[in-house]
Amino acid sequence: MDKKILFNKCITLLTSVHRVTHELTQNAKSESITPVQYKILEYITVSQPVTPSDISDCQHMSMSNTSRELKKLSEKNLIKKISDTEDRRKQYICLSKDGEALMNEAFAKVELRFLDRIRNASKEDLQEIDRSLDILQTKLFY
Amino acid sequence: MDKKILFNKCITLLTSVHRVTHELTQNAKSESITPVQYKILEYITVSQPVTPSDISDCQHMSMSNTSRELKKLSEKNLIKKISDTEDRRKQYICLSKDGEALMNEAFAKVELRFLDRIRNASKEDLQEIDRSLDILQTKLFY
DNA sequence: TCATTTACTTATCAAATGATAAGTAAAAGG
DNA sequence: CCTTTTACTTATCATTTGATAAGTAAATGA
């Protein structure tokens, strides 16, 4: 196995994944939030509850900027902050009802587009895709 | 095959791909260019020669902003503009020597990190990864 | 030939983002 | 206790990015 060829193949896939991600998600987010805020909400959605520090680490932004964006999301009533009872410096961030509604709507659009993308795939194709997702998830994108 | 489960699995992979892309590329780009300028150079690298319109379409930015960024990249001597001899409104954009050097350096860093990521993979693992990349490229991220 | 379209440029403005510094309050550790 | 560290906040500023409008020059097409 030539690792150089594998590298190029991987780069090609990365490029395609980013293009398809854009196709699946374009205009999915509400216009009332910025791209950064959407990414934060997306992260909260799949990982809640999370602390501001978690967000700062995973979204690669400074604590000060994270704090600012969370404040804005709070003002838009999209998230809830819950103080840790043990360590009162810590906070747990969750989606509010409004935040959940907003993200459900976005995810529904993305899912529709995903289903459209695989609508012509045969049963065998779907099984191959499923297996490939598992392999890449565990062996390459761990 | 439950398409809903497949969708969730796919979203998980997308998230992982974006995270790993960040890990592979962080600090790979020169500090003398902005993220948007790096994305443009990356696109030119794999697709050259390209027109400003191509860049505008593929990078999802307006022609005016594309033009501005290309001007900055020109001023930094990272790209060359070549006029089309047939249609003199058109331009073809290529990397300059400096641009090539800059991108080679960036890609070399990314490749090293990629090789490190798969250094513990067995021969069989690599073959499975290779095959999975092919399948997803053709059947999902086409 | 002359209006229209295409490809790209320039200028300008607002908004989003990144970076830094200084601060608060609570916990941890000697 | 008291110093240090941690978790987070607030304020400020520069830069980047997005969006819009007006323009040039060449090609297209009736």
Side-chain angles (χ1 to χ4, degrees):
Chain A
M1 178 61 58
D2 184 341
K3 290 188 175 182
K4 177 81 183 176
I5 291 177
L6 200 63
F7 172 65
N8 288 327
K9 214 177 255 193
C10 184
I11 293 296
T12 303
L13 189 82
L14 290 186
T15 306
S16 299
V17 167
H18 286 266
R19 176 179 44 75
V20 171
T21 300
H22 183 269
E23 284 172 27
L24 292 177
T25 58
Q26 70 179 327
N27 311 323
K29 80 163 182 61
S30 156
E31 286 184 8
S32 62
I33 54 174
T34 69
V36 168
Q37 286 166 9
Y38 179 78
K39 291 303 287 179
I40 291 174
L41 287 182
E42 207 176 54
Y43 174 64
I44 298 173
T45 304
V46 298
S47 310
Q48 63 186 335
V50 295
T51 65
S53 301
D54 293 335
I55 296 170
S56 172
D57 290 346
C58 294
Q59 301 297 306
H60 317 105
M61 54 197 300
S62 67
M63 266 303 290
S64 52
N65 289 336
T66 303
S67 185
R68 173 182 58 195
E69 297 309 322
L70 289 177
K71 192 181 175 192
K72 289 181 183 170
L73 288 171
S74 264
E75 285 165 355
K76 291 174 184 176
N77 292 312
L78 297 172
I79 60 170
K80 287 180 296 189
K81 297 183 179 183
I82 300 158
S83 297
D84 188 319
T85 47
E86 309 243 304
D87 183 342
R88 293 195 298 158
R89 290 170 307 177
K90 283 189 188 168
Q91 296 180 1
Y92 292 105
I93 314 286
C94 292
L95 294 181
S96 68
K97 281 281 164 225
D98 285 1
E100 265 180 47
L102 186 141
M103 291 310 286
N104 281 341
E105 204 180 320
F107 273 63
K109 283 186 193 167
V110 173
E111 184 170 0
L112 276 182
R113 291 179 189 155
F114 173 79
L115 293 176
D116 186 56
R117 175 163 280 270
I118 58 168
R119 78 179 179 288
N120 292 323
S122 68
K123 207 174 163 183
E124 294 74 40
D125 284 342
L126 292 178
Q127 273 166 355
E128 280 194 311
I129 291 172
D130 184 69
R131 180 166 155 68
S132 298
L133 287 172
D134 287 339
I135 290 169
L136 291 188
Q137 184 67 54
T138 54
K139 301 189 189 252
L140 191 52
F141 301 109
Y142 51 83
Chain B
M1 177 62 59
D2 184 341
K3 289 187 174 182
K4 178 83 185 175
I5 291 177
L6 199 63
F7 172 66
N8 288 328
K9 214 178 254 193
C10 185
I11 294 297
T12 303
L13 188 82
L14 291 186
T15 306
S16 300
V17 167
H18 286 265
R19 177 180 43 75
V20 170
T21 300
H22 183 266
E23 284 172 28
L24 292 176
T25 58
Q26 72 180 328
N27 311 324
K29 79 163 185 63
S30 155
E31 286 183 8
S32 61
I33 55 174
T34 69
V36 169
Q37 286 166 9
Y38 180 77
K39 291 304 285 180
I40 291 174
L41 288 181
E42 207 175 55
Y43 174 64
I44 298 172
T45 304
V46 298
S47 309
Q48 63 185 336
V50 295
T51 65
S53 301
D54 293 335
I55 296 170
S56 172
D57 290 346
C58 295
Q59 302 298 304
H60 315 106
M61 55 197 300
S62 66
M63 267 301 291
S64 52
N65 289 337
T66 303
S67 185
R68 172 181 60 195
E69 297 311 321
L70 289 177
K71 190 181 175 192
K72 288 181 184 170
L73 288 171
S74 264
E75 285 165 354
K76 290 174 182 176
N77 291 314
L78 297 172
I79 59 170
K80 287 181 297 190
K81 297 182 178 181
I82 300 160
S83 297
D84 188 320
T85 47
E86 310 240 307
D87 183 341
R88 293 193 300 161
R89 289 170 308 178
K90 284 189 187 165
Q91 295 179 0
Y92 292 105
I93 313 286
C94 292
L95 293 181
S96 67
K97 281 280 164 228
D98 285 0
E100 267 179 47
L102 186 141
M103 291 311 286
N104 282 341
E105 204 180 319
F107 272 64
K109 282 186 194 167
V110 173
E111 185 169 0
L112 276 181
R113 291 179 189 155
F114 173 79
L115 293 176
D116 186 57
R117 175 163 281 269
I118 59 168
R119 76 178 180 289
N120 291 325
S122 68
K123 208 174 163 185
E124 295 72 40
D125 285 341
L126 292 178
Q127 272 165 356
E128 280 195 310
I129 291 171
D130 184 68
R131 180 165 155 67
S132 298
L133 288 173
D134 286 339
I135 289 169
L136 292 187
Q137 183 69 53
T138 55
K139 299 188 190 248
L140 192 53
F141 300 110
Y142 52 81

